Amino acid sequence: MSYKTVIKGARVVTSSGATECDIGINNGVITTLGLDLKNGENIIDASGLIALPGGIDSHVHISQPSGPGIEMADDFHSGTCSAACGGNTTILPFCLPEANQSLREAVKVYRNKALDQCMTDVSFHLIIKDTDPVTLGQDLPALIQAGYTSFKVFMTYAGLALTDRQILEVMSVAREHNAMVMVHAENEDAINFLQDRAERAGKTDPYHHAITRPIPVEREATHRAISLAEIAGVPLTIVHVSNGEVMQEIVRARQRGLTVFAETCPQYITLTANDLDKDGFDGAKYVCSPPPRTSEEWPKIWAGIEQRTFDLFSSDHCPFRFASAAGKNAPGARSNFRNIPNGIPGVETRLPILFSEGVVKGRISLERFAELTATNHARLYGLYPRKGAIMVGADADIVLWDPDKSKQIAQANLHHGSDYTPWEGFEVKGWPIRTMLRGVTTMLDGEPTGAPMGEYLIRRAPII
Ligand code: DUC
Ligand code: ZN
Ligand code: ZN
């Protein structure tokens, strides 16, 4: 047997455990896992390194319409360069229709934005903000059929938040056509009540973004979303869970026999609401929803990561520039947190943070790391077994990690379009040094390599 590429000597995290072996690759696919493979046109010496499945970040926002005058900091090229440099081979951004734009039209526009730009493979989740008969009766079923097998509904934000009835209607389409509903669970009325009260008291600095979205706002909405899913008879995924009380809702639902999946993100184990209280206007750099909580929540989130309350660890990369009127310094943002665009960059730092804090510090195994960062994303969003695991027949999406490389996270070394990182100076041990997409190196020693070769992925039904 001869191979286009052989990766030799790595500790390989396969779907059935970690083992030392060689990986043989032909036509972009893993064809052999074995000992002492020979006849490789390219031989990559990976001794001392760990081979993990390419990261799948199933929660990122790229080039998403964000209101008049506001612009996301990443397009598909910069966003996927950043993703590849952070050890990712697939990203799943959200497709949000503009006002008066159909879902089908929005998908076309997004596909064109991504075309020939991507350093990772890509597919979109749909955001459902209209529930008219054409959207739910025609467009959505057709799009699910075409491979868009997951969509997000919001319980907050003017113009996006759906009523309970609307959420039930969306869930019932998911049930009929075998798709996954993702929920942003925060109670819009409660937030507005608290924001109006804060505003009347003159409390309009970035810190009050966090104060006006307290834990009960997220807990109540999570409980309601789960109840609605129970009524509609569908599984669901609760995205960006920030605290222990929400985790308890998820655990209780599972004890009742419901199928609920849960995602958390690096910000909920490393940042706190006090970061939004930084000097001057710097707190705006950390404004995201749900907001980071207190450090007392961190061990609870870690317990959920370790004990499988969480299925997914994603970035929620939602990048804006700080020094820009199209970003965090939007008109009126300094005088009222309500005008600060919501979101933080993180597609490049998600994996190093979890590797360092999780694997290196002994909280999780390499196998669990692979599940949380790749395998479960592939299964829930219809990409498995082509993606998400190092196994024969899968795409050769492989990342080589140097487990001993220590680094300080620094904006100067990142590739996203944002002009800051919330993790400036954060110390990590372990860093991806080569990313391979379908057998081709897309990042080497911290820099993107080669032309954009990302493909558009047609997804299947979730594996529940
Ligand atoms: N929800 C997200 O999922 N991302 C950024 C902002 C938000 O509210
Ligand atoms: Zn959200
Ligand atoms: Zn998000």
mmCIF file of all heavy atoms in Angstrom, residues 59 61 94 152 240 316 318, ligand 3:
data_model
loop_
_atom_site.group_PDB
_atom_site.id
_atom_site.type_symbol
_atom_site.label_atom_id
_atom_site.label_comp_id
_atom_site.label_asym_id
_atom_site.label_seq_id
_atom_site.Cartn_x
_atom_site.Cartn_y
_atom_site.Cartn_z
ATOM 1 N N HIS A 59 -20.371 26.875 16.746
ATOM 2 C CA HIS A 59 -21.056 28.109 17.154
ATOM 3 C C HIS A 59 -20.162 29.303 16.878
ATOM 4 O O HIS A 59 -19.387 29.735 17.739
ATOM 5 C CB HIS A 59 -21.435 28.037 18.632
ATOM 6 C CG HIS A 59 -22.348 29.136 19.064
ATOM 7 N ND1 HIS A 59 -23.287 28.985 20.057
ATOM 8 C CD2 HIS A 59 -22.479 30.420 18.631
ATOM 9 C CE1 HIS A 59 -23.951 30.120 20.223
ATOM 10 N NE2 HIS A 59 -23.460 31.012 19.364
ATOM 11 N N HIS A 61 -20.080 33.233 14.557
ATOM 12 C CA HIS A 61 -20.816 34.236 13.780
ATOM 13 C C HIS A 61 -19.805 34.941 12.879
ATOM 14 O O HIS A 61 -18.800 35.465 13.366
ATOM 15 C CB HIS A 61 -21.464 35.263 14.712
ATOM 16 C CG HIS A 61 -22.375 34.640 15.731
ATOM 17 N ND1 HIS A 61 -23.739 34.569 15.565
ATOM 18 C CD2 HIS A 61 -22.117 34.048 16.915
ATOM 19 C CE1 HIS A 61 -24.278 33.965 16.629
ATOM 20 N NE2 HIS A 61 -23.305 33.631 17.456
ATOM 21 N N PHE A 94 -23.764 31.025 11.670
ATOM 22 C CA PHE A 94 -25.224 31.180 11.571
ATOM 23 C C PHE A 94 -25.581 32.030 10.359
ATOM 24 O O PHE A 94 -24.892 33.002 10.063
ATOM 25 C CB PHE A 94 -25.759 31.864 12.835
ATOM 26 C CG PHE A 94 -25.642 31.001 14.044
ATOM 27 C CD1 PHE A 94 -24.494 31.002 14.812
ATOM 28 C CD2 PHE A 94 -26.669 30.142 14.409
ATOM 29 C CE1 PHE A 94 -24.366 30.190 15.920
ATOM 30 C CE2 PHE A 94 -26.561 29.321 15.511
ATOM 31 C CZ PHE A 94 -25.403 29.345 16.272
ATOM 32 N N LYS A 152 -31.427 27.913 14.831
ATOM 33 C CA LYS A 152 -31.428 28.542 16.160
ATOM 34 C C LYS A 152 -32.637 29.449 16.302
ATOM 35 O O LYS A 152 -32.992 30.161 15.361
ATOM 36 C CB LYS A 152 -30.144 29.355 16.333
ATOM 37 C CG LYS A 152 -29.997 29.996 17.724
ATOM 38 C CD LYS A 152 -28.645 30.691 17.888
ATOM 39 C CE LYS A 152 -28.528 31.358 19.255
ATOM 40 N NZ LYS A 152 -27.363 32.223 19.390
ATOM 41 N N HIS A 240 -24.650 28.068 24.597
ATOM 42 C CA HIS A 240 -23.916 28.990 25.491
ATOM 43 C C HIS A 240 -24.461 29.053 26.929
ATOM 44 O O HIS A 240 -24.830 30.126 27.426
ATOM 45 C CB HIS A 240 -23.749 30.383 24.883
ATOM 46 C CG HIS A 240 -24.953 31.033 24.240
ATOM 47 N ND1 HIS A 240 -26.175 31.059 24.822
ATOM 48 C CD2 HIS A 240 -25.081 31.700 23.058
ATOM 49 C CE1 HIS A 240 -27.018 31.723 24.039
ATOM 50 N NE2 HIS A 240 -26.378 32.110 22.963
ATOM 51 N N ASP A 316 -18.589 30.474 20.425
ATOM 52 C CA ASP A 316 -19.499 31.625 20.254
ATOM 53 C C ASP A 316 -18.716 32.840 19.758
ATOM 54 O O ASP A 316 -18.932 33.976 20.207
ATOM 55 C CB ASP A 316 -20.288 31.942 21.525
ATOM 56 C CG ASP A 316 -21.501 32.819 21.220
ATOM 57 O OD1 ASP A 316 -21.723 33.154 20.028
ATOM 58 O OD2 ASP A 316 -22.226 33.170 22.161
ATOM 59 N N CYS A 318 -17.921 35.877 18.017
ATOM 60 C CA CYS A 318 -18.847 36.903 17.512
ATOM 61 C C CYS A 318 -18.081 38.220 17.569
ATOM 62 O O CYS A 318 -18.236 39.024 18.485
ATOM 63 C CB CYS A 318 -20.093 36.911 18.409
ATOM 64 S SG CYS A 318 -21.407 37.957 17.793
HETATM 65 ZN ZN ZN B 3 -23.565 32.957 19.260
#
